[in-house]
Amino acid sequence: MSGWGMGWFGGGTQKRKDAPKNAILQLRSTLEMLTKREKHLQNQIDEEDAKARKFVTTNKTAAKAALRKKKQLESTLDQTSAQIMNLEGQISSIETANINKETLDALKNASSALKGIHGGLTIDKVDQTMEDLEEQHAISNEIASALTQGAGANAVDEDDLDEALADLQQQELDNKMLNTGAVPVGDQVHRLPAAATGECKADLRNTRVQQQEEDDEEEELKRLQAEMAM
């Protein structure tokens, strides 16, 4: 009983699914048979036409019989040709209908798939997810900032670099003066008190700044003179 029930429902579904294909196969088989018959009828018509032409002057009775047979065959041929056209039309209709059905089924499956994907999604959930992402990004930035706070403690002070550079320049100047036999300026500087040494370094920086300003003014003056000459 169970097997019969399964065969009934399962077989019915499969039958409906295979119905278009089976119908097309049957139509094509019939169409092939009719096409062969059409060709055979045409050959018979050609033979009767040849007989009529052969006896047209020698045997009018035979010629008329051949023409009569030819007309009967032509009538049958017209019917066969009409049947062939009808079958071709039916095949085309079934194929088109089957394609439409397959297309509709594919669209239905696509719609179901989209519904399944969007079933758990709402605008509120999307907005909440985006807010959560922004919050996590903010937390990540805060963590990165906290981890890099101590990095600034190892930064080199620019004033210290300027003083170190001034010391190197003074040492270089002292070396040049030693080579020329002059009294090293560095020795004089080192003999000064510590406070005076700091003042000398400050004066040296001020002198460089003033010299740079004068050079800039001189350059600007030359530029203006060139413009006036033009």
Side-chain angles (χ1 to χ4, degrees), residues 120-138:
L121 295 178
T122 62
I123 297 299
D124 293 338
K125 288 184 179 181
V126 173
D127 291 341
Q128 184 61 46
T129 300
M130 297 307 296
E131 290 179 3
D132 292 343
L133 285 174
E134 291 179 0
E135 181 180 352
Q136 294 305 314
H137 285 312

Side-chain angles (χ1 to χ4, degrees), residues 5 23 29 37 41 46 67 69 73 90 115 147:
S29 176
R37 186 178 186 219
L41 288 171
D46 293 339
L67 290 173
K69 182 68 177 295
L73 292 171
Q90 292 300 322
K115 287 179 180 178
L147 292 174

Side-chain angles (χ1 to χ4, degrees), residues 26-94:
Q26 184 179 8
L27 288 170
R28 289 193 181 280
S29 176
T30 305
L31 181 62
E32 183 179 1
M33 181 268 294
L34 290 174
T35 302
K36 291 179 179 179
R37 186 178 186 219
E38 182 183 43
K39 184 177 180 181
H40 178 66
L41 288 171
Q42 187 61 55
N43 290 335
Q44 287 182 315
I45 290 171
D46 293 339
E47 291 177 0
E48 296 301 325
D49 182 73
K51 289 179 181 179
R53 292 176 184 277
K54 178 180 180 182
F55 298 119
V56 68
T57 57
T58 60
N59 189 343
K60 291 183 179 182
T61 302
K64 284 182 178 182
L67 290 173
R68 189 178 299 108
K69 182 68 177 295
K70 176 184 175 183
K71 287 185 179 296
Q72 292 174 351
L73 292 171
E74 287 176 342
S75 178
T76 304
L77 178 62
D78 290 340
Q79 293 175 359
T80 303
S81 299
Q83 290 172 346
I84 289 174
M85 291 181 62
N86 188 18
L87 289 178
E88 289 176 342
Q90 292 300 322
I91 291 173
S92 178
S93 297
I94 293 175

Side-chain angles (χ1 to χ4, degrees), residues 7-22:
W8 172 262
F9 290 106
T13 302
Q14 188 63 36
K15 270 187 176 182
R16 287 194 300 271
K17 186 176 181 180
D18 293 341
K21 180 177 69 174
N22 293 334

